Amino acid sequence: MERRRLPVLDAGRRAAALLASAARVAWGAAGIGAGRVAGGPVYAQISVSDACDHRCAMCPYHPPTEERAPPAWFGDALPGLMALEVYAGVIRDLAALGTRRVDLVGRGEPLLHPSVVEMVSLARRAGLEVTITSNGSRLDAARAEALIDAGLDALRISVDAARPATYALVHVGEPETSLARLVARVGHLVRLRDRAGRRAPRVTVSFTVGRENVAELDEMLELALATGADAAFFQNVLPMTERARAMVLDEAAWADVVDRTLPRLRRRAASARLETNLEEFARTPPVAADVGTTPTRCYVGYYFTSVLASGAVVPCCQTQAPVGHVGPSTFAEVWRGPGYEAFRGAARRLPEPHPALATSACDRCYFRPHNLAVDRAVRPLARRTDAPAVPVDQLIRMSRVRAR
């Protein structure tokens, strides 16, 4: 069966997306206003559920080696569900600030929230593009149909394996039968969408790659094709916990993946018309498990934010300390507040240490290549020894702005 081609950005929409992304980081790169912002975040993660029903081997938020989730990752609060009124306030502020996209994702499983469909509808009515990242455990037929009807733009399912035994190994405690059930659920949603003549949600299956599953890369691509997904996404495991550090590929294994496996996968994906990030994946090597990397100038505070279920606002996925809280303040007040300003200024001065970065894993940042690319774009004359590992155009792909 021939796969349909995905729509591509027209030149005007593409240029607008690049300018909107670049404006935020350019303002920060110039050091204007001591960490102040010219607008809102380009996109935001909203952790509508900090609770999770899986214990993945590489996860620092709900590690299988701990009896309870480490509270430091949740603003020292118990991982729970976001109140609908808090969510609605955040959405209003984001829309007013000019944010284009929200991801219902974060430090838990968003489909655990009983109001998640209503949350999608609320954000869509506010004019925001909405993505959900999920483990798919709660993606039954009724939920799939409801999400399609609510106007969900994109759904990303974390699979992380192609063989049942490996799935159970990575998603610790899950039975081996879970993988076949997950594949069937994703396929069912795709068929529902296609029968309805919809272009959304765009479905991506995601794989975090480490020692346990690297031998299954070819099978992962075939699994993505079997579900009918529009895209497959690959990323290396981040060494954020002891168990995750043991999963990180060494240099020899990574070199073998880049030299032998990825070219074959790119050819197969192209022939099947499956969109992937394999070119970017090849240019983003594993973060060393033992020493990490030297932090580089960071602009994440100008184009991204993450709001936890408790209302705590954190400026990065790999940061523990909140810069403020929604509830006592509005999101807009936090976004423009002194805590966020201090973080932005400190991140812009990396690798210089600063108390505002004390709980940020800047030495193990998966998006370091993006920061290098952004820095090259906004400071073209600056002297540097690092070359960007991905093109600045990656900013557009990160924000996933697509013509509807």
Side-chain angles (χ1 to χ4, degrees):
M1 180 177 68
E2 183 177 349
R3 298 176 59 81
R4 59 188 176 81
R5 286 192 181 275
L6 296 175
V8 295
L9 285 170
D10 60 84
R13 184 84 180 264
R14 191 178 182 86
L18 179 58
L19 287 172
S21 297
R24 283 141 170 91
V25 296
W27 179 276
I32 299 172
R36 295 174 188 163
V37 283
V42 176
Y43 69 107
Q45 284 188 355
I46 305 180
S47 186
V48 297
S49 170
D50 281 343
C52 193
D53 57 350
H54 278 202
R55 296 293 181 269
C56 295
M58 59 283 189
C59 180
Y61 309 133
H62 300 275
T65 54
E66 304 290 335
E67 292 186 4
R68 58 191 294 261
W73 281 114
F74 303 94
D76 288 324
L78 292 175
L81 304 178
M82 179 175 282
L84 188 58
E85 59 269 22
V86 171
Y87 174 84
V90 172
I91 291 297
R92 283 195 299 270
D93 279 5
L94 289 172
L97 287 166
T99 298
R100 295 195 307 271
R101 179 183 125 223
V102 294
D103 287 0
L104 305 191
V105 62
R107 301 185 178 178
E109 169 51 49
L111 295 188
L112 288 176
H113 202 297
S115 300
V116 67
V117 175
E118 183 178 355
M119 289 171 157
V120 172
S121 296
L122 195 157
R124 292 292 289 116
R125 290 196 300 270
L128 299 176
E129 184 176 337
V130 188
T131 296
I132 287 179
T133 298
S134 169
N135 60 38
S137 63
R138 305 301 173 104
L139 188 66
D140 57 25
R143 181 66 59 80
E145 186 172 8
L147 289 171
I148 293 171
D149 291 342
L152 181 67
D153 292 280
L155 176 66
R156 180 164 155 175
I157 300 292
S158 301
V159 182
D160 306 319
R163 302 171 189 170
T166 310
Y167 184 86
L169 183 66
V170 176
H171 293 254
V172 178
E174 293 300 306
E176 294 186 8
T177 54
S178 294
L179 179 59
R181 183 167 62 248
L182 177 60
V183 169
R185 286 175 168 175
V186 175
H188 180 71
L189 182 143
V190 172
R191 289 190 296 274
L192 279 176
R193 179 199 67 185
D194 292 349
R195 283 201 297 266
R198 306 281 185 88
R199 291 165 58 182
R202 179 177 182 271
V203 178
T204 300
V205 290
S206 174
F207 303 94
T208 298
V209 179
R211 294 177 187 268
E212 282 79 356
N213 59 10
V214 67
E216 302 173 21
L217 283 168
D218 290 274
E219 296 164 72
M220 290 174 184
L221 197 67
E222 296 304 322
L223 182 147
L225 292 169
T227 65
D230 303 296
F233 182 88
F234 300 85
Q235 62 185 8
N236 282 299
V237 65
L238 279 174
M240 300 291 289
T241 67
E242 183 176 350
R243 186 157 184 175
R245 285 190 285 274
M247 297 173 65
V248 176
L249 298 178
D250 60 27
E251 289 186 14
W254 177 245
D256 186 69
V257 167
V258 172
D259 294 341
R260 300 178 59 183
T261 307
L262 296 190
R264 182 172 65 247
L265 264 61
R266 285 198 292 269
R267 291 192 297 271
R268 172 63 174 139
S271 68
R273 297 180 178 177
L274 177 71
E275 185 177 337
T276 73
N277 71 325
L278 288 170
E279 290 190 13
E280 288 84 5
F281 181 55
R283 292 194 291 262
T284 312
V287 176
D290 49 355
V291 296
T293 58
T294 301
T296 188
R297 281 175 70 111
C298 177
Y299 304 100
V300 70
Y302 294 91
Y303 61 83
F304 171 82
T305 193
S306 179
V307 186
L308 305 186
S310 64
V313 180
V314 290
C316 173
C317 307
Q318 295 168 221
T319 293
Q320 293 181 351
V323 291
H325 290 79
V326 176
S329 305
T330 66
F331 173 79
E333 289 169 341
V334 175
W335 177 249
R336 299 188 179 110
Y340 234 131
E341 290 182 7
F343 174 87
R344 293 185 189 106
R348 198 177 58 239
R349 293 190 294 272
L350 280 168
E352 177 185 328
H354 192 280
L357 305 175
T359 67
S360 300
C362 299
D363 62 332
R364 303 185 186 278
C365 179
Y366 185 76
F367 291 104
R368 182 173 183 270
H370 305 143
N371 276 320
L372 291 170
V374 170
D375 195 56
R376 172 64 63 88
V378 299
R379 297 195 308 145
L381 301 180
R383 294 177 60 87
R384 59 176 62 81
T385 57
D386 288 305
V390 296
V392 71
D393 189 59
Q394 175 71 358
L395 277 178
I396 295 175
R397 288 191 287 271
M398 286 172 63
S399 61
R400 297 192 187 99
V401 178
R402 294 186 175 273
R404 292 195 179 94

